[in-house]
Amino acid sequence: MAEGNLVNPAPVEAVERVEALDTVRGFALLGILLMNICSFGMPSAAEGNPTVWGGATGANYWFWWVQAVFWSGKMRALFSICFGAGVIYLTSRAEAKGTSAGDVYYRRTFWLMLFGMIHAYFLWYGDILYPYALCGLLLYPMRKMGPRWLAAIGVVMIVGASVMTGIEAKDLKRARDSYRGIPPHAQVAKEVEGARGAYKGMLHGWQPSKENVDVELKAYRGSYAEAFSHRSGVRLAWDSQPYFNTGSWDFLSFMLIGMALAKWNVLSGAWQRATYAWVAVGGIAAGAAVGAWAANHEAASAFEPVAAVEGYTVYQLVRLLMSMGYLAAIVGIVQAGWLGGLMRALGAVGRMAFSNYIMHTLICTTLFYGHGFGRFGKLQRHELYYVVASIWLLQLAVSPLWLSKYRFGPLEWCWRSLTYWKRQPMRIRAVTSLQSLPAENPA
């Protein structure tokens, strides 16, 4: 792989890692399961609309409310920030060593894309690795931009997405009003008929019929072949749409912000401790206040779909506020040296994020799908979080133990070996042994 006097590219060693980035990534990864568990264990529409399955009363309602205010979308935003920051750390380290980072970066990205496609079609339709890899294709040329430009573009994309959602909410409200005022067999103008069709289409996804819910239940309680057929149909419909549009802004905007934060060394503790504290308190408090308004607005309408879209107009703003609040809180805690054991465990989860993410899928599909224990649709919403807590405890315990003996998680090892097209040493003692060899002895 060497060319001229360029250094052979190699994976990041433990001593080179940014501790807080791993910790934030671990926190985000565990938080993502709080949302994904609903898609693993219940009909897909129930994640956003609790009336679809299990109802919106008692513990089920409060678990939905807490999820909507504090977790939904925020953990994905935080994970996207980590992804963007990782782009800067990966490429800057390679270039500092005299290595051309482009070759490694794009091989790494294309392998991630392939892993994502396998995950999406053969294991679980909710995969984010594939869209992350697609977004990653755009990030490399932007790595040299100044942090202010990166942050500004990310914020403009967030504001733009919010404005477009507001326009969509107004259009859907007009469609709903037209739809409700039309008798079933009335002769109507084409534009009003179109409004009826738009609203009916939204209702189909937001409040699916019992027949459609039963189709999903049968598929995921059945054989692997039945689950594969349903899953691939859902995923293919998503992946067949043009990807680089406003929908991808969900990922891209926060990745750009993550790149800016890495350049500003925010994840390396560049701010004063008081600054991290103020950003943490301010971001989480402001985000929770606005998010509570949106959740209450939706619930007050009995989960009417237009009210949900109206609440969604502040969704991106809430994600920005709360993801920055969570990030500042974690980096500040790491900087202060508090909760050392927990932070180290979260850091280990973050270093094995790829393996732990796929582990979520393997555990949950085995538990809920018909080719496993067949519990799909059998647990109430609040009961699903017992599963989440169990997985959290498992990964917080196992990840540090694994990394005490091995350099990487198993899938991280596979990904890196493919990226560098060279089998990487896995055991820590093997690395120590290699490092003890004379300098002229090739590793």
Side-chain angles (χ1 to χ4, degrees):
M1 250 178 222
E3 182 178 348
N5 62 351
L6 297 183
V7 179
N8 286 322
V12 175
E13 297 294 344
V15 294
E16 297 179 285
R17 302 192 70 92
V18 178
E19 180 184 0
L21 175 62
D22 288 331
T23 308
V24 172
R25 187 189 294 113
F27 177 84
L29 179 75
L30 295 183
I32 283 173
L33 186 58
L34 290 164
M35 280 71 64
N36 288 351
I37 195 66
C38 297
S39 297
F40 281 125
M42 297 190 298
S44 55
E47 179 178 349
N49 181 4
T51 65
V52 171
W53 195 259
T57 59
N60 283 341
Y61 169 77
W62 286 111
F63 272 82
W64 169 84
W65 191 91
V66 170
Q67 173 185 312
V69 174
F70 291 98
W71 307 115
S72 183
K74 291 79 173 175
M75 297 298 102
R76 190 172 65 251
L78 198 56
F79 203 73
S80 298
I81 288 172
C82 292
F83 189 91
V87 170
I88 297 300
Y89 292 129
L90 172 72
T91 58
S92 61
R93 281 168 175 155
E95 290 166 353
K97 294 177 180 179
T99 300
S100 176
D103 185 38
V104 169
Y105 179 84
Y106 281 110
R107 282 205 310 273
R108 182 177 183 268
T109 302
F110 280 119
W111 281 115
L112 182 65
M113 190 181 301
L114 179 59
F115 281 126
M117 292 177 68
I118 294 170
H119 182 224
Y121 286 91
F122 291 93
L123 295 175
W124 181 56
Y125 64 87
D127 167 80
I128 61 171
L129 301 178
Y130 178 69
Y132 268 52
L134 286 176
C135 289
L137 297 176
L138 299 180
L139 298 181
Y140 184 78
M142 304 177 77
R143 74 194 188 284
K144 297 294 188 181
M145 292 180 67
R148 291 184 180 180
W149 278 105
L150 291 167
I153 294 170
V155 171
V156 167
M157 292 173 71
I158 289 171
V159 172
S162 299
V163 170
M164 295 183 71
T165 304
I167 295 171
E168 180 187 359
K170 289 183 177 180
D171 290 342
L172 285 170
K173 186 175 182 179
R174 286 194 292 266
R176 178 199 63 191
D177 294 343
S178 298
Y179 176 73
R180 287 178 172 177
I182 300 171
H185 302 293
Q187 295 297 319
V188 294
K190 287 185 178 180
E191 60 269 20
V192 181
E193 188 69 55
R196 171 195 277 190
Y199 186 67
K200 286 178 69 175
M202 182 179 180
L203 281 176
H204 178 77
W206 180 256
Q207 190 71 58
S209 65
K210 181 180 183 302
E211 291 74 17
N212 286 337
V213 171
D214 287 344
V215 166
E216 191 171 358
L217 290 172
K218 182 177 182 297
Y220 293 119
R221 289 176 179 174
S223 65
Y224 177 83
E226 291 174 294
F228 175 81
S229 177
H230 189 276
R231 174 174 57 247
S232 58
V234 171
R235 187 68 195 208
L236 186 61
W238 293 355
D239 293 338
S240 297
Q241 300 174 11
Y243 185 73
F244 292 115
N245 54 33
T246 54
S248 64
W249 293 5
D250 179 291
F251 305 110
L252 273 172
S253 55
F254 287 93
M255 290 178 183
L256 293 173
I257 290 171
M259 293 171 74
L261 294 175
K263 284 175 173 282
W264 278 322
N265 294 316
V266 171
L267 289 157
S268 303
W271 289 349
Q272 296 295 319
R273 188 177 300 179
T275 304
Y276 285 109
W278 279 111
V279 172
V281 173
I284 294 172
V290 180
W293 169 83
N296 292 339
H297 178 67
E298 185 176 339
S301 72
F303 296 93
E304 200 273 335
V306 172
V309 178
E310 289 172 340
Y312 199 75
T313 58
V314 298
Y315 173 74
Q316 297 294 351
L317 172 63
V318 172
R319 295 177 75 210
L320 178 60
L321 290 169
M322 296 201 75
S323 61
M324 286 301 302
Y326 289 138
L327 182 144
I330 295 167
V331 177
I333 290 171
V334 171
Q335 184 189 50
W338 299 336
L339 305 176
L342 176 59
M343 294 298 107
R344 285 190 293 274
L346 282 173
V349 171
R351 285 179 61 186
M352 293 178 57
F354 186 10
S355 297
N356 283 323
Y357 177 65
I358 300 302
M359 188 191 298
H360 291 175
T361 296
L362 295 176
I363 291 174
C364 291
T365 54
T366 300
L367 176 61
F368 293 113
Y369 286 6
H371 54 269
F373 293 97
R375 303 298 297 172
F376 188 79
K378 298 292 182 68
L379 300 182
Q380 294 291 314
R381 179 182 293 267
H382 69 274
E383 294 174 324
L384 293 172
Y385 292 95
Y386 302 147
V387 178
V388 172
S390 299
I391 294 174
W392 282 2
L393 291 173
L394 173 67
Q395 294 188 334
L396 286 168
V398 169
S399 297
L401 288 175
W402 178 276
L403 291 174
S404 68
K405 296 183 178 180
Y406 302 102
R407 297 177 69 205
F408 315 113
L411 287 179
E412 284 79 6
W413 173 84
C414 181
W415 187 16
R416 283 159 172 77
S417 295
L418 290 169
T419 294
Y420 297 100
W421 210 240
K422 178 182 179 182
R423 186 177 183 274
Q424 300 296 312
M426 184 67 161
R427 283 187 171 274
I428 289 177
R429 69 185 184 194
V431 177
T432 304
S433 173
L434 289 173
Q435 290 174 341
S436 67
L437 292 173
E440 66 273 16
N441 197 333

